[in-house]
């Protein structure tokens, strides 16, 4: 019997993921480690027989990862978590970027099936009937991140607690004396961000017997400019200015702060602002943004562990909720 990657790794004094990267001529391997692995392979006569193996089991040692955008810190952090687990287990990643295009998502689900990947990690935004039909026919282990569809289709889901995190950060504003709290959100085709975070906002207000005028509510897209436009519309249309703003993402919160500062308002002295996501830039803006921290790295790691078990015949049922906490910074004033 030939040597395994694990045995090669032990002989070379490196991790299995390093051996896998060397064999697949991947980046992110030091020259020293690459030399060690290549020397052991040469001395032992080890020949990776992945092609024959792949044909036999009708799959490759690859995992498909479908992301809606690649230029966000949340996605990059989750993908790092995925890489940590998958590379250590001898899998390569096939990363696809759909640019928030649902047709592209469906196309890539079908394409990854053709590429004979061992499984798919799917970062979902809008989940349509077409998505559900494609997923039901795909006949592959799939783990869905970001949306809970476990009740309508039998795939494991890894999600953040969007309802309670939104509710908690709005309650945080209320505890700091705020009663006029505006909302900058996204379209509700995105259940997690568009619907559940809005429900959390409204529930926090309801529990504290607070009403919200219609002019305090704005729905746009995920861009910073949408946060800017949302804040502009709220300020221009409100008879009484809000004392605080809850934006459903940090990007929207950053756009709102930019507009307020351009109009001469002080944050948080005049209007407090909070977001969700704890993006890389949130601690660098002025004032530093109070927000919700989701552990995206952990979400990527946990989703990968669930997928690996699924590939090996042990299927996780339902959904896994990832923890969150409020990160207090300088964008909220007590009144």
């Amino acid at each position: 019997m030939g040597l395994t990657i694990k045995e090669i790794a032990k002989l070379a004094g490196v991790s299995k993921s390093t051996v896998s990267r060397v064999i697949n001529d991947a980046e992110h391997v030091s020259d020293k480690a690459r030399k060690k692995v290549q020397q052991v392979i040469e001395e032992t006569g080890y020949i990776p027989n992945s092609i024959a193996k792949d044909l036999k089991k009708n799959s490759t040692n690859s995992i498909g990862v479908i992301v809606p955008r690649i230029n966000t810190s949340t996605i990059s952090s989750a993908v790092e978590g995925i890489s940590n687990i998958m590379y250590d287990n001898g899998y390569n990643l096939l990363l696809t970027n759909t640019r928030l295009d649902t047709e592209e998502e469906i196309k890539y689900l079908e394409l990854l099936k053709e590429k004979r990947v061992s499984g798919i990690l799917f970062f979902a935004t809008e989940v349509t009937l077409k998505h559900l039909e494609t997923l039901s026919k795909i006949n592959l282990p799939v783990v869905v991140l970001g949306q809970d569809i476990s009740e309508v289709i039998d795939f494991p889901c890894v999600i953040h607690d969007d309802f309670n995190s939104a509710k908690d950060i709005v309650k945080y504003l209320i505890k700091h004396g705020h009663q006029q709290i505006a909302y900058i959100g996204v379209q509700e085709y995105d259940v997690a961000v568009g619907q559940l975070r809005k429900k959390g906002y409204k529930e926090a207000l309801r529990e504290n017997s607070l009403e919200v005028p219609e002019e305090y509510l704005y729905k746009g897209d995920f861009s910073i400019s949408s946060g800017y436009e949302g804040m502009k519309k709220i300020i221009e249309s409100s008879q009484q200015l809000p004392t605080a703003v809850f934006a459903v993402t940090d990007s929207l919160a950053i756009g709102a702060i930019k507009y307020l500062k351009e109009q001469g308002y002080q944050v948080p002295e005049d209007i407090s602002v909070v977001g969700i996501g704890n993006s890389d830039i949130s601690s660098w803006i002025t004032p530093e943004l109070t927000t919700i921290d989701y552990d995206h790295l952990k979400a990527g790691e946990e989703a990968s562990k669930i997928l690996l078990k699924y590939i090996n015949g042990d299927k996780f049922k339902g959904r896994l909720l990832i923890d969150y906490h409020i990160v207090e910074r300088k964008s909220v004033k007590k009144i």
Side-chain angles (χ1 to χ4, degrees), residues 109-132:
L109 283 167
E110 292 168 342
L111 181 64
L112 289 169
K113 165 75 172 171
E114 288 173 21
K115 293 285 184 186
R116 296 184 293 110
V117 296
S118 298
I120 296 174
L121 291 163
F122 174 35
F123 287 79
T125 48
E126 179 183 5
V127 180
T128 65
L129 189 59
K130 180 73 173 167
H131 281 91
L132 297 177

Side-chain angles (χ1 to χ4, degrees), residues 205-269:
L205 296 179
R206 189 193 66 76
E207 286 183 2
N208 288 275
S209 303
L210 298 175
E211 292 186 6
V212 55
E214 195 61 35
E215 59 265 26
Y216 277 11
L217 303 175
Y218 177 84
K219 284 186 292 187
D221 59 35
F222 284 85
S223 65
I224 290 175
S225 60
S226 189
Y228 184 98
E229 288 302 318
M231 193 74 258
K232 181 176 188 286
K233 187 177 177 191
I234 289 166
I235 293 293
E236 289 178 351
S237 61
S238 298
Q239 293 182 352
Q240 180 182 8
L241 289 181
T243 64
V245 178
F246 163 55
V248 298
T249 72
D250 285 2
S251 294
L252 293 171
I254 289 164
I257 289 171
K258 179 172 171 58
Y259 176 79
L260 289 170
K261 288 166 80 171
E262 282 184 5
Q263 299 305 307
Y265 294 99
Q266 298 293 312
V267 179
E269 289 77 13

Side-chain angles (χ1 to χ4, degrees), residues 263-299:
Q263 299 305 307
Y265 294 99
Q266 298 293 312
V267 179
E269 289 77 13
D270 298 321
I271 298 180
S272 296
V273 180
V274 297
I276 287 184
N278 196 23
S279 65
D280 289 347
I281 199 172
S282 299
S283 61
W284 290 94
I285 61 167
T286 305
E288 295 170 19
L289 183 67
T290 293
T291 183
I292 292 283
D293 181 66
Y294 287 150
D295 194 338
H296 296 284
L297 183 83
K298 183 180 177 184

Side-chain angles (χ1 to χ4, degrees), residues 109 122 131-139 142 149 153 155:
L109 283 167
F122 174 35
H131 281 91
L132 297 177
E133 286 172 358
T134 305
L135 285 166
S136 66
K137 293 175 188 169
I138 207 164
N139 197 28
V142 178
I149 59 171
I153 193 164
F155 283 120

